[in-house]
Amino acid sequence: MPQEIRPRATCAVCLVQGSSAYWAHVGDSRVYQLRAGAVVARTRDHSHVELLLRAGRITERQAHDHPMRNYVECCIGGDPVLPEMTLTGRNVLQPGDVLMLCSDGLWAGATDDELAKLSIASDRGLRDALA
């Protein structure tokens, strides 16, 4: 099968053990650790735009609507070689932390600050559900 028509995918996984979380991702699916309306940590995409950001060649604002924002440098499938994955060490969790795993279908339309507000809404929703 020609490479240009081989299926490709991105992936984010998270393992939670007690008050610790470990995660891995490939491509532009992300893991966010949210706390009290702030992003504590998030994965960095395997995308062309992320490489430009890290190199200081574009700003966060420019990245949001960059013409190559959907170009993924690394993914599962397509190439016969194993993709590069990013694996974290231990991330400490606190009560109320929210771990959000999502694709660019969610995060591409929002800023990190807007997504961070989900942790407050999530906490309220859980408290209301338990009341």
Side-chain angles (χ1 to χ4, degrees), residues 73-93:
E73 297 279 344
C74 185
C75 62
I76 300 169
D79 295 325
V81 297
L82 288 175
E84 289 294 321
M85 290 178 259
T86 301
L87 307 169
T88 68
R90 179 177 180 255
N91 296 282
V92 177
L93 300 175

Side-chain angles (χ1 to χ4, degrees), residues 10-12 28-32 100-107 115:
T10 65
C11 182
D28 61 357
S29 289
R30 291 182 179 177
V31 178
Y32 285 85
M100 181 174 68
L101 286 67
C102 60
S103 71
D104 63 328
L106 176 64
W107 66 256
L115 291 173

Side-chain angles (χ1 to χ4, degrees), residues 3-111:
Q3 181 176 341
E4 59 274 358
I5 63 170
R6 289 184 199 150
R8 293 176 179 87
T10 65
C11 182
V13 296
C14 185
L15 170 67
V16 176
Q17 290 183 311
S19 63
S20 300
Y22 306 83
W23 54 74
H25 81 286
V26 61
D28 61 357
S29 289
R30 291 182 179 177
V31 178
Y32 285 85
Q33 182 179 6
L34 310 174
R35 179 181 302 142
V39 175
V40 175
R42 86 158 169 86
T43 56
R44 295 291 167 189
D45 306 337
H46 299 125
S47 67
H48 186 71
V49 168
E50 185 68 30
L51 292 175
L52 294 174
L53 270 170
R54 288 184 193 180
R57 296 182 62 199
I58 63 172
T59 65
E60 287 281 343
R61 184 180 170 118
Q62 291 170 317
H64 195 67
D65 59 357
H66 193 279
M68 294 186 75
R69 69 184 173 277
N70 294 324
Y71 184 82
V72 178
E73 297 279 344
C74 185
C75 62
I76 300 169
D79 295 325
V81 297
L82 288 175
E84 289 294 321
M85 290 178 259
T86 301
L87 307 169
T88 68
R90 179 177 180 255
N91 296 282
V92 177
L93 300 175
Q94 293 182 8
D97 279 6
V98 173
L99 294 169
M100 181 174 68
L101 286 67
C102 60
S103 71
D104 63 328
L106 176 64
W107 66 256
T111 65

